Amino acid sequence: MAEYETHDLDVVVIGAGGAGLRAAIEASAQGARTGLVCKSLLGKAHTVMAEGGIAASLGNVYPDDNWKVHFRDTMRGGKFLNNWRMAQIHAQESPERVLELEEWGALFDRTPDGRILQRDFGGHRFARLAHVGDRTGLEMIRTLQHHSVHQGIEVFMECTITRLLITDGHVAGALGYWRESGRFVIFRCKAAILATGGVGKAYKVTTNSWEGTGDGHALALWAGADLIDMEFLQFHPTGMVWPPSVRGLLVTESVRGDGGALRNSEGRRFMFDYIPELYRAETADTEEEADRWYTDRTSARRTPDLLPRDEVARAINTEVKAGRGSPHGGVFLDIASRRDPDYIKRRLPSMYHQFKELADVDITAEPMEIGPTCHYFMGGVRVEADTAASTVPGLYAAGETAGGMHGANRLGGNSLSDLLVFGRRAGLAAAQHALGRPRAAEIDAAQVEAATTHALAPFGREEGENPYAIQQDLQDCMQRLVGIIRREDELKEAQQELAALKERAKRVKVEGHRQYNPGWHLALDLDALLTLSECLTMGALQRTESRGGHTRDDYPKADDELGKVNMVIRRREDELSIEAEPLSQMPDDLKALLEDPH
Amino acid sequence: MPDVTMQVWRGDAGGGALEEYQVHAEEGEVVLDVIHRLQAGQANDLAVRWNCKAGKCGSCSAEINGKPRLMCMTRMNIFEPGEAVTVAPVRTFPIVRDLVTDVSYNFEMAKRVPAFAPKPREPDGTYRMSQEDVERLQEFHKCIECFMCQDVCHVIRDHEDNKANYAGPRMFIRYAELEMHPLDTVDRRPLLRGQAGLSYCNITKCCTEVCPESIHITDNAIIPLKERVVDSYYDPVAWLGRKIRRRGRRKATG
Amino acid sequence: MSTVQETTATPVVIDGVRGGPPVRTLRRDRWWVGPVLVVLGLSAFAAFSTWAAFRGNNYYVGPSMGRDYLSPLYSPCIAQICQYKNDAIVGSWWTWSPAILVLVFPLGFRLTCYYYRRAYYRSFWWAPPACAVADARPRYTGESRFPLIIQNVHRYFFYFALIFAGILTWDAIAAFRFPGGIGVALGTLVLVVNAVLIWGYTLGCHSCRHFCGGNLNSFSKAPIRHWLWRRLSILNGRHMFWAWASLIWVALADLYIWLIAIGAFHDPRFI
């Protein structure tokens, strides 16, 4: 084997967002020699984009709140497809994780008596989100980052992992390259934690940054781990649509929470036409009642503008397709005519700034143009609830990379808490596993050689494909054919296009040399992007029902039988397979919690 | 919008120069969009660091027409039509390649900041702080670590040797948020006076001018820190006051 | 409380090769306008105030002219040779202009003021002349050693500035005194505006903001100081405006009184 820079660690954490940082802190605290590897600089991960807050039943605003109610809300939001044990652990442990964050220096907004203030959000029965204005994610990542600095964690920035090295079925290390120099590096380890976030970059219109290429999902799959629920993809209903440069950029749900209303090109508040049966009893059916709800929660019912994200996203999609969209292919979100300018600027400072700076739109004077944008993958690596362990020994996954916690649809605010709770659990279990092993497994030189040869191949080609063109075509394909509303024929068409793209990707060619070469980096990211797009399409085709973040035009109803299974994707001998496997049985005492208390 | 002329610095530690490109630009675009188009077409290997493209992560700092700015928040329509737009890497940090620099200086300085050390929790396991206590510090927590304040600070921009003992504006707001934290128990003033190099700052406020989050770095962090250092080192009245109070206490207890 | 003197100094990269064109600045806007204006403004004031301070006469308009105006550059007038009153502290041995005795305090206050420091470091010292424009000198130690370490005495000048603001307020009140009783003339207004501007500048001082609440960590435990701090912070945010306005006005006030005193202008009385 050629000589490569090699680091010996007990635990290597891949990804330095909320989950990765929390995992590294915990692993290090357990005494494991821990390395944290991230594609970007430390503190730039996508967690900074989170706005709303961290869901935790602290009960500071409503003392009636407790983990049981949070558990119930999470399961209902996930259409009962969640891993019940994960939902339980999450609800039970998130309050302590939030307090711990405060102990590490986070400054949450306060209640009048000096406790952590909590805010209302969709799907949560009580005001539950600990928050800092509209930049909670930044606060969280910065707090974890500052705390981690003094924990003896080795941080490897701007380093991309391309393969997990497996020896005798156990994790032996990870192979990556330094973005700066292009040189390969090996992290020999006894356990690895995947915390790389989602796969949003498979879509053209997305809230995700370039990093969301599904590295962790792909690394796990290639290492032999199971993926579940890949078909469940959350489209956030409100992303910017104009100018094209910022298409997909998130517009927070709080705009509607603070009085904003959705309108089509005819000026009609169309959400009243899309109230599903399930929510009819608790949703206002006149504009008068909906507007009254903002100030009067006893006699008025909730505005349909605040239906769950999947419902709103679908409705917008339908309106645009019916030709009632805005000039740039979205619909209007109007708060200007409904609230006074001072109120808007006070409540939504970053939204005001964002539209003013990037779109020349003054949201206090004119409506915003918005449309659905790819936001979050509910599916991911199948893990054991208590330990975050994947099906491959020594491999763990946490955060958006792990599946199961959110079922078919995630509630706002449950993501940041998920990162903390399962980041810590993964770090704990991985460290214990690593410390229990006398030495790391030997690295298989053949695997390293195969991976490095593959990675360098694009430089050797005289003729070939432009990686940027392939990524654009991939995003276009997914956006067009595997979007919010799916159909069998379109999904099959997508599979064909993906197969063609995979062939093209084999001929990808990059210019220049290995030192900080973004064209090459993208060429390498394509492997994961294409694999995950394939998985997503496969799951979408297999799940012949509509549920949460998966809507089939040809199967518009939920199917009770399919509500009892996960779609499990595996890769064996270079072939992907998919199988429906039953959910684990929920104990009766938890089942009882799901009953509506009213 | 017609094509625009971009002068982008290409090169590495071995040298480089501004190279001129004609790039297509569309309505509503920002500098980063144009750089991306360049990358996808004429210059596949153009190195540029970016992440969120929404002004929230602070990765895409560069010097545009000589001023430190975030590429993702600089609209193309602020430039005169026909004007060439110069994009150069931030000046203060060692070059890696093209628009990417080695910003490890900032991470090293962050390691030197003594950690937050809170008082014990209240008996009920929580902390109490009121909104007015945290508000002042929340301004500092808005920092997205774009390091443009570090870049523009002439103390290190123009005087390389000062880097060894100067924390820089970004770290000063970090020190400020810890020093002013109602729960913190560590006194970092001796460190600020010494190793962190607070007195090297001559409050010329360029850090505040370039901050994309509009944090009042100089007025709300650096000057208050300087005043706190004066409290403990340069104020004979305060020194005398402390002396007397200590003696008074000793008498009272003794 | 634990005190940290030093931390383990992790090494930083020194003398790395920098990117970008090796020029003083890539800025193409007129960055030099600001420094030029500051140089002109401060030089003009320096020239005027030197003349005014060494003038030694016509700084007071007394009862003989039916007014009671003292130039702010000469207040408080504490030498025996003063043209008015007899609350002299300094005896007849002082024969120079009485302004020189007192001007050192307001001058020191402004010289060590955080705003003026910024202004003259940039425009006179060129450290730096403007943001992202290189310093004029190769070596730089900031305010870390003598003599610039003396800037730390700013708060003592602030204490004196408070006293001066009080005296100038008294002078403004005195300007309402007319031989026949109370009245208002243009000169009265000039001195009232002067006092207001001086207060605005003095209270907006960074040191003042620090004493009044900035040095606290828990505002909730000191609501009055927190209230004060919030008000002063607003003033402090416009410190540059107050610094220039009060500086220019002081000069104008002196000029105005001089003009009346030499009989070049008749001070119109309104009430």
Side-chain angles (χ1 to χ4, degrees), chain C:
Chain C
M1 173 169 286
S2 62
T3 301
V4 181
Q5 299 275 355
E6 265 180 56
T7 52
T8 337
T10 45
V12 293
V13 184
I14 302 274
D15 292 331
V17 179
R18 294 180 176 201
V23 292
R24 187 129 188 252
T25 185
L26 283 171
R27 283 180 68 167
R28 292 186 232 152
D29 56 337
R30 291 181 296 161
W31 55 263
W32 40 267
V33 170
V36 165
L37 288 178
V38 171
V39 167
L40 290 178
L42 290 182
S43 306
F45 179 80
F48 175 82
S49 59
T50 309
W51 168 75
F54 283 93
R55 192 173 71 221
N57 55 39
N58 295 316
Y59 49 82
Y60 179 61
V61 183
S64 61
M65 295 179 84
R67 298 288 187 272
D68 192 359
Y69 301 158
L70 175 63
S71 158
L73 288 178
Y74 283 77
S75 182
C77 211
I78 50 168
Q80 190 98 53
I81 60 155
C82 271
Q83 291 170 339
Y84 86 124
K85 296 176 187 168
N86 37 13
D87 47 358
I89 298 169
V90 180
S92 57
W93 55 269
W94 179 269
T95 53
W96 286 0
S97 162
I100 296 164
L101 281 174
V102 290
L103 267 187
V104 58
F105 295 102
L107 218 59
F109 183 47
R110 286 183 192 256
L111 214 58
T112 58
C113 161
Y114 287 100
Y115 166 69
Y116 283 106
R117 273 145 80 180
R118 171 194 166 207
Y120 62 73
Y121 284 141
R122 275 200 191 191
S123 49
F124 286 90
W125 223 265
W126 290 16
C131 302
V133 180
D135 280 12
R137 288 166 194 74
R139 259 187 66 73
Y140 172 87
T141 53
E143 302 180 334
S144 63
R145 53 196 71 172
F146 187 81
L148 290 181
I149 200 164
I150 297 176
Q151 303 280 28
N152 286 312
V153 302
H154 183 51
R155 56 178 58 177
Y156 288 92
F157 284 111
F158 164 73
Y159 300 141
F160 283 107
L162 272 184
I163 299 171
F164 273 70
I167 292 169
L168 292 176
T169 308
W170 176 249
D171 289 346
I173 293 167
F176 285 93
R177 274 196 311 228
F178 289 80
I182 290 173
V184 176
L186 185 55
T188 320
L189 298 181
V190 167
L191 291 183
V192 167
V193 170
N194 181 63
V196 169
L197 291 175
I198 291 290
W199 275 115
Y201 171 63
T202 308
L203 292 178
C205 162
H206 290 85
S207 292
C208 174
R209 183 175 175 234
H210 173 72
F211 302 133
C212 291
N215 55 0
L216 294 172
N217 290 345
S218 285
F219 283 136
S220 54
K221 297 201 178 93
I224 295 169
R225 292 181 68 192
H226 179 227
W227 179 88
L228 203 59
W229 178 81
R230 281 200 342 248
R231 294 298 171 286
L232 293 180
S233 295
I234 298 169
L235 214 50
N236 178 263
R238 312 255 303 153
H239 203 42
M240 178 171 102
F241 162 78
W242 292 103
W244 280 106
S246 60
L247 188 79
I248 293 167
W249 200 268
V250 159
L252 289 179
D254 177 77
L255 192 67
Y256 185 75
I257 286 162
W258 175 73
L259 284 172
I260 304 170
I262 63 169
F265 186 75
H266 175 71
D267 180 42
R269 181 167 171 181
F270 307 124
I271 299 165

Side-chain angles (χ1 to χ4, degrees), chain A residues 491-563:
Chain A
L491 291 170
K492 289 198 164 145
E493 198 183 325
Q495 284 188 317
Q496 282 168 9
E497 287 194 21
L498 288 171
L501 284 165
K502 268 175 91 173
E503 285 307 310
R504 282 173 64 192
K506 285 180 188 162
R507 300 191 305 273
V508 71
K509 162 183 168 280
V510 293
E511 285 164 15
H513 50 85
R514 282 163 70 175
Q515 195 196 10
Y516 218 106
N517 187 335
W520 182 43
H521 302 162
L522 178 60
L524 297 181
D525 287 343
L526 285 177
D527 285 342
L529 267 180
L530 283 162
T531 307
L532 267 299
S533 300
E534 229 182 321
C535 292
L536 207 166
T537 312
M538 206 173 199
L541 202 53
Q542 196 76 9
R543 188 168 282 280
T544 48
E545 64 160 351
S546 292
R547 179 184 297 271
H550 170 67
T551 307
R552 285 283 297 260
D553 207 16
D554 39 2
Y555 299 93
K557 294 235 154 36
D559 178 334
D560 285 348
E561 288 310 305
L562 287 172

Side-chain angles (χ1 to χ4, degrees), chain B residues 65 84 86 91 95 130 133 136 154 157 159-160 187 199-200 204 206 209 219-220 226-227 231 235, chain C residues 2 4 10 15 17-19 28 114 122 127 131 135 138 140 143 155-156 206-207 209-210 216 219-220:
Chain B
N65 285 353
T86 310
R91 182 95 186 104
I95 189 71
S130 56
D133 291 338
R136 172 170 50 165
H154 71 116
R157 185 185 178 92
H159 309 281
E160 181 77 20
D187 179 10
S199 57
Y200 275 72
T204 37
C206 286
E209 269 181 42
D219 285 328
N220 290 351
K226 280 188 174 242
E227 286 293 319
D231 280 345
D235 188 336
Chain C
S2 62
V4 181
T10 45
D15 292 331
V17 179
R18 294 180 176 201
R28 292 186 232 152
Y114 287 100
R122 275 200 191 191
C131 302
D135 280 12
Y140 172 87
E143 302 180 334
R155 56 178 58 177
Y156 288 92
H206 290 85
S207 292
R209 183 175 175 234
H210 173 72
L216 294 172
F219 283 136
S220 54

Side-chain angles (χ1 to χ4, degrees), chain A residues 40 44 51 103 107 109-110 114-115 139 145 150 158 209-211 245 357 360 466 515 518, chain B residues 33 39-40 46 49-51 53 56-58 75 97 113 116 121 128-129 131 138 141 144-145:
Chain A
S40 287
K44 306 295 183 194
E51 285 162 355
E103 195 162 35
L107 293 165
D109 288 345
R110 319 303 296 180
R115 298 164 192 267
E139 185 74 12
Q145 180 189 338
H150 300 283
E158 299 202 306
S209 80
W210 67 269
E211 288 193 290
S245 133
E357 294 283 315
D360 279 334
N466 177 340
Q515 195 196 10
Chain B
D33 289 310
Q39 207 180 36
L46 170 63
R49 193 183 266 139
W50 69 286
N51 277 55
K53 205 173 169 292
K56 288 182 178 163
C57 78
R75 298 278 299 268
R97 198 180 153 200
V113 182
F116 174 60
R121 294 188 189 190
R128 300 297 168 86
M129 285 181 278
Q131 185 65 27
Q138 283 178 338
H141 282 220
I144 56 172
E145 299 206 322

Side-chain angles (χ1 to χ4, degrees), chain A residues 1 36 272 274 405:
Chain A
M1 180 162 85
L36 180 60
F272 288 95
Y274 295 90
M405 160 68 208

Side-chain angles (χ1 to χ4, degrees), chain A residues 222-237:
Chain A
W222 294 332
D226 295 353
L227 299 185
I228 56 167
D229 300 339
M230 288 309 293
E231 61 277 20
F232 294 112
L233 175 56
Q234 183 169 79
F235 282 86
H236 199 288

